Amino acid sequence: MVRRTRIIRHTAAFAAALLCGVGFAPAAAAAEGGRTGANPAAAALDTYWSPARMAAALPGDTAKGAGAGPSARAASPTEDGPRPGEYIPPSRSFDGIPQAGTFFWTDADGTGRTCSGSVVRSPGRDLVLSAGHCLKGYAGPAPRRHLAFVPQYHDGLKPFGLFPVAADGVYVAQRYYDLGEHAGAAYDFGFAVTEPNRDGTRLQDAVGGVRLLTGTGYYHLPVRMIGYPGNAQKPLECWSWTTRWASDDPADPGTFPRIACDAFVGGTSGGPMLVPGPDGWGVIGVIGGYHTGGNTPQVSYSAYFGAATRALYRAAVSGAPPAGPAS
């Protein structure tokens, strides 16, 4: 256990030094971009999502971490969770990074909801990655209900403004709609195309972006996971590693990246699993997939990022008509 703790601490320090060395920052990514003119829709949403409304928003993923707490039983074939004696790396509250943030929307009853997301690099400089179970209610003709993304939200602040999700801008795999969130757990990812903020600045021009990584396998070290717990004023981060989890639960079939990190509860779904690289962060998963991200706060999962993820990304950046529930 001591050795694993040292590995995480040393690799986290190395990754931080590497990223500082390459100088990856929002300003560098924004050099190519510019403003498109004031966006009245963003201004209206910016006003609607006041600090009080954002603070009162509830998790949109109420199942995440809703099972056993710190005294969780050992994992079984159909019940995920920490294994006996498993080291669970701690999480910490912090002010976040520009490339990660949270979605806000109102549900059918008018209640504010949240899920996490991250900005991925794209030709349109406007794309957010999240979990499919967070975004699936907004495809096609579904009402937008104040749906917007706030990068690096913390303490009631919107340091880069608020970015509305475009009409017909939600992309979730058709297989996920057809199979449902459990049978379709292997497709639990999605993208949202955003509009500029109230000043007309595109999302990636404002905050930079992380690189979408697919087909990279299940084993990664170090991994920095970030998520926004519901009702929390700051996001969490945790340094850990991912391994391979083959489901024996017939309700949630598939093979998933698995990561142990403490305190990731409702609201953190869609949060990125990041790995450092010479050109900044890359994302290899988002909280979701098996049991919609995990039944306990100590263990999380992601759908594996492969060909289906690449295909959905291409659809989002090309502006193809998004998939939707079968009529």
Side-chain angles (χ1 to χ4, degrees):
M1 182 180 297
V2 172
R3 183 171 180 270
R4 285 185 177 179
T5 305
R6 287 174 178 168
I7 289 172
I8 289 294
R9 185 170 62 247
H10 293 161
T11 52
F14 170 77
L18 174 64
L19 291 171
C20 290
V22 300
F24 183 73
E32 301 175 21
R35 293 183 177 179
T36 60
N39 184 356
L45 270 182
D46 211 350
T47 300
Y48 179 84
W49 285 113
S50 64
R53 277 200 173 108
M54 291 188 294
L58 303 175
D61 55 336
T62 53
K64 169 58 186 158
S71 60
R73 295 190 286 121
S76 74
T78 58
E79 182 179 353
D80 65 74
R83 300 175 179 125
E86 180 177 12
Y87 172 66
I88 307 296
S91 60
R92 75 176 186 98
S93 178
F94 77 129
D95 284 347
I97 64 173
Q99 298 83 26
T102 184
F103 287 96
F104 289 99
W105 72 92
T106 52
D107 63 20
D109 297 324
T111 302
R113 298 288 180 177
T114 67
C115 256
S116 303
S118 57
V119 183
V120 294
R121 301 176 196 174
S122 68
R125 311 181 71 78
D126 55 6
L127 203 60
V128 185
L129 168 68
S130 188
H133 70 268
C134 289
L135 297 175
K136 67 177 182 177
Y138 292 88
R144 291 163 64 191
R145 297 199 300 260
H146 307 106
L147 178 61
F149 182 72
V150 179
Q152 203 176 0
Y153 168 75
H154 67 91
D155 300 300
L157 302 175
K158 295 173 273 192
F160 300 96
L162 174 149
F163 297 80
V165 173
D168 284 331
V170 169
Y171 288 81
V172 175
Q174 187 65 57
R175 292 280 287 167
Y176 192 69
Y177 288 116
D178 294 345
L179 294 171
E181 66 182 23
H182 292 289
Y187 300 92
D188 191 4
F189 43 77
F191 296 95
V193 180
T194 61
E195 297 177 1
N197 65 9
R198 68 188 304 159
D199 297 327
T201 304
R202 292 177 296 182
L203 178 58
Q204 190 177 324
D205 292 329
V207 303
V210 302
R211 190 156 56 98
L212 178 67
L213 300 177
T214 61
T216 59
Y218 296 89
Y219 298 90
H220 294 274
L221 173 71
V223 176
R224 184 188 191 189
M225 190 162 71
I226 298 174
Y228 281 78
N231 297 124
Q233 289 298 292
K234 295 177 185 288
L236 295 176
E237 72 168 351
C238 172
W239 288 88
S240 188
W241 59 92
T242 57
T243 57
R244 181 177 181 272
W245 174 262
S247 170
D248 281 341
D249 184 349
D252 284 53
T255 305
F256 307 88
R258 176 190 188 272
I259 184 169
C261 268
D262 195 25
F264 279 76
V265 294
T268 61
S269 283
M273 300 175 187
L274 302 170
V275 294
D279 60 345
W281 295 110
V283 58
I284 52 94
V286 297
I287 299 172
Y290 185 69
H291 291 173
T292 57
N295 288 334
T296 72
Q298 295 84 25
V299 176
S300 300
Y301 303 86
S302 171
Y304 181 71
F305 283 6
T309 318
R310 290 193 297 272
L312 191 63
Y313 173 85
R314 288 194 296 267
V317 301
S318 70
S327 56

